[in-house]
Amino acid sequence: MLATIEAVRIYRRLLGAHLRAVLEYRADAMLTIAAAVLGQLAGLIFVATIFRQVPVLEGWTQWEVLCVCAMVMLAEGVGSLFFEGTWHLSGMVNLGALDYLLVRPYPVILQVTGAAVGVNGLGNVVIGTVLLAGAVGRTDVVWSPVTVLWAVLLLASGLLVKIAVSLATNALTFWLLSPSNSVAVSVHMLGDLARYPLTVYGTGVRALLVVIPVAFVGYFPAAALLDKGVSTTIGLLTPVVALACALAAWRIFEAGLRRYESAGT
C-alpha cells in the first residue's frame, strides 16, 4: 500500500514537471487547447446537423448520441493529460532513450506513460465533462445512488479501455522498430467511429470496433447506462473488458521490454 502511494506521488510530480515545462510557452499551450476544443465542436456540429434531418438515429436520440461522444472526449482528454508519454514510446525505442528509464528505481511503464503531458487533453476534458453533464440530464435515466455509482464505474472502465488500447498499440513499436507507430495512429482514428451507434455501420466495421475494442470506450458504457436493448447486455461487461484490456496491455509492454536491445550506439 505504501509503495503504491509513493508511486502515485512520484507520478504526480513527474507530470507536474512536464506541465510546468509546457506552460513556459503559454501562448502555444493556449493555442493547442483551443485547437482541441474547436476540433471537438466541429464533431458536435456534425451530430447536430444529422439530427436536424432525422429525429432518431437507429434508436438513439440526439442527447443519447451526445452522451457517447462526451464519454469518448473525456477518455481522450484524460489519456492526453495523464498518459501522453505513451505516444512518445516509438521515439524512445528508436533513439535508445529507453536506456535511461531502465536504470531508474521506478516502474518503466509509469516512466513511459508519464513522460509527457498533452495540454490539448484539458480542452477535451472540460468540453467532455460539460457535455456529459448536460446530456445525461436530458435522457430517461432514473437516477439513484446505485445508478450514480454504476455510471461512474462505466465511465472509469471506458477510460481504462482507452488508455490500455493506446498503450498496447504503441508498445507494438518494440516489434515494428519504426520511428513512428502507424498502427497506434490508425487505431486512434478508428476510435472516432465509436462516437456513434454501432448499428449505423456494416457487420465488418461493428466487429472491428468490438474486437479492437474501442466500442467499449463510449458506446457500450452508454448503452448499459441508457438501456439500449442488446447493446445493454454487452455493455454490462465493460468493467470486465477494461480489466482484460489493462492486463493485456501490460503483458504486451512487458514482452516488448524484454526484447528491447537499445539503439546500438
Side-chain angles (χ1 to χ4, degrees):
M1 182 64 179
L2 291 176
T4 301
I5 295 175
E6 180 65 12
V8 172
R9 185 186 70 83
I10 295 174
Y11 195 79
R12 178 181 60 82
R13 294 188 64 180
L14 184 63
L15 290 178
H18 290 301
L19 181 60
R20 287 191 295 273
V22 170
L23 293 180
E24 285 292 322
Y25 305 92
R26 295 187 181 182
D28 182 67
M30 293 301 103
L31 286 173
T32 301
I33 294 172
V37 170
L38 290 174
Q40 298 296 357
L41 289 178
L44 298 181
I45 292 173
F46 175 72
V47 172
T49 301
I50 291 177
F51 279 96
R52 288 185 64 181
Q53 307 299 321
V54 293
V56 178
L57 183 64
E58 293 292 333
W60 290 70
T61 66
Q62 179 176 353
W63 287 108
E64 289 172 342
V65 172
L66 289 176
C67 184
V68 178
C69 291
M71 287 185 173
V72 175
M73 288 181 196
L74 269 173
E76 291 180 351
V78 171
S80 294
L81 269 178
F82 302 109
F83 304 95
E84 180 70 10
T86 303
W87 293 92
H88 294 251
L89 183 57
S90 294
M92 294 180 190
V93 171
N94 281 272
L95 297 176
L98 201 61
D99 295 359
Y100 299 103
L101 278 58
L102 292 172
V103 298
R104 294 172 182 168
Y106 190 65
V108 178
I109 191 170
L110 294 181
Q111 292 186 67
V112 169
T113 57
V117 170
V119 291
N120 60 299
L122 182 60
N124 291 343
V125 168
V126 171
I127 193 172
T129 301
V130 172
L131 181 61
L132 184 61
V136 296
R138 291 171 172 80
T139 61
D140 296 329
V141 177
V142 179
W143 293 101
S144 67
V146 174
T147 306
V148 171
L149 290 175
W150 176 232
V152 171
L153 177 60
L154 288 170
L155 181 60
S157 298
L159 293 174
L160 184 56
V161 170
K162 175 62 178 177
I163 295 165
V165 170
S166 293
L167 176 61
T169 52
N170 277 285
L172 294 178
T173 192
F174 287 112
W175 288 270
L176 299 176
L177 301 178
S178 171
S180 61
N181 193 333
S182 58
V183 175
V185 174
S186 298
V187 170
H188 176 74
M189 295 176 66
L190 183 67
D192 287 338
L193 297 179
R195 293 172 181 252
Y196 313 104
L198 260 64
T199 46
V200 303
Y201 303 117
T203 304
V205 175
R206 293 187 209 176
L208 186 61
L209 295 175
V210 172
V211 171
I212 296 250
V214 290
F216 286 91
V217 176
Y219 174 73
F220 283 121
L225 181 64
L226 301 172
D227 191 16
K228 306 300 291 184
V230 177
S231 296
T232 300
T233 305
I234 301 176
L236 296 176
L237 300 174
T238 301
V240 178
V241 172
L243 291 176
C245 287
L247 179 60
W250 177 75
R251 288 188 172 180
I252 291 172
F253 181 86
E254 290 294 317
L257 201 59
R258 286 193 294 270
R259 76 186 306 278
Y260 174 67
E261 297 179 346
S262 189
T265 57

